[in-house]
Amino acid sequence: MSSRESPTDWQRIEVAGPTALGDAVASARRYALDKELGPSDCARLCIIVEELLTNLLEHGGLTHPQIAVEFDRFDGAIRLIIEDNGSPFDPRSAIPDNAIPDRGGNAGLRLVQSWSEIMSYESSGGQNRLELLLELGGS
């Protein structure tokens, strides 16, 4: 771990209600700027958070969304963990060819799958936990 990458690189935020999406994306941006990520890495992190939470809020069956987002920088990567109370959905199971043309054709999930590595997904007791790894310095 380099001197810039320390245990204090971990951050957890909790968002809820109608401002959950905006609050989560704003937190991702603040985290990226605080950790001095490059513009491309900052944009990719924010887009991944936005896409995953947009899908969750639109398709997760949530009447009272409660979402936690964790960021952890280490070894040239950001670990992103999203915990939520939505319907179970493992993005690894999304079939890229099941395009929805009037809604963007699942472009958001394809970005998430190409810009990050989905490390794990689990659902238990009405809670979901998704862990992704975003390599820094990517394009």
Side-chain angles (χ1 to χ4, degrees), residues 55-79:
N55 284 343
L56 173 63
L57 294 168
E58 288 183 0
H59 307 292
L62 294 169
T63 53
H64 301 289
Q66 296 179 329
I67 304 164
V69 182
E70 291 183 20
F71 308 96
D72 189 10
R73 181 177 176 179
F74 66 99
D75 295 333
I78 300 288
R79 180 176 40 219

Side-chain angles (χ1 to χ4, degrees), residues 25-91:
V25 173
S27 293
R29 181 169 174 71
R30 276 192 307 275
Y31 181 85
L33 294 173
D34 287 349
K35 301 305 172 200
E36 299 178 357
L37 301 186
S40 176
D41 290 329
C42 177
R44 289 184 314 123
L45 178 63
C46 291
I47 289 169
I48 287 172
V49 168
E50 180 178 25
E51 291 298 335
L52 290 171
L53 268 65
T54 295
N55 284 343
L56 173 63
L57 294 168
E58 288 183 0
H59 307 292
L62 294 169
T63 53
H64 301 289
Q66 296 179 329
I67 304 164
V69 182
E70 291 183 20
F71 308 96
D72 189 10
R73 181 177 176 179
F74 66 99
D75 295 333
I78 300 288
R79 180 176 40 219
L80 174 65
I81 297 173
I82 299 175
E83 298 173 338
D84 65 80
N85 63 333
S87 299
F89 175 71
D90 185 344

Side-chain angles (χ1 to χ4, degrees), residues 12 66 68 83-86 88 121-129:
R12 179 182 173 97
Q66 296 179 329
E83 298 173 338
D84 65 80
N85 63 333
Y121 170 80
E122 56 189 56
S123 182
S124 176
Q127 290 293 110
N128 303 298
R129 184 178 189 279

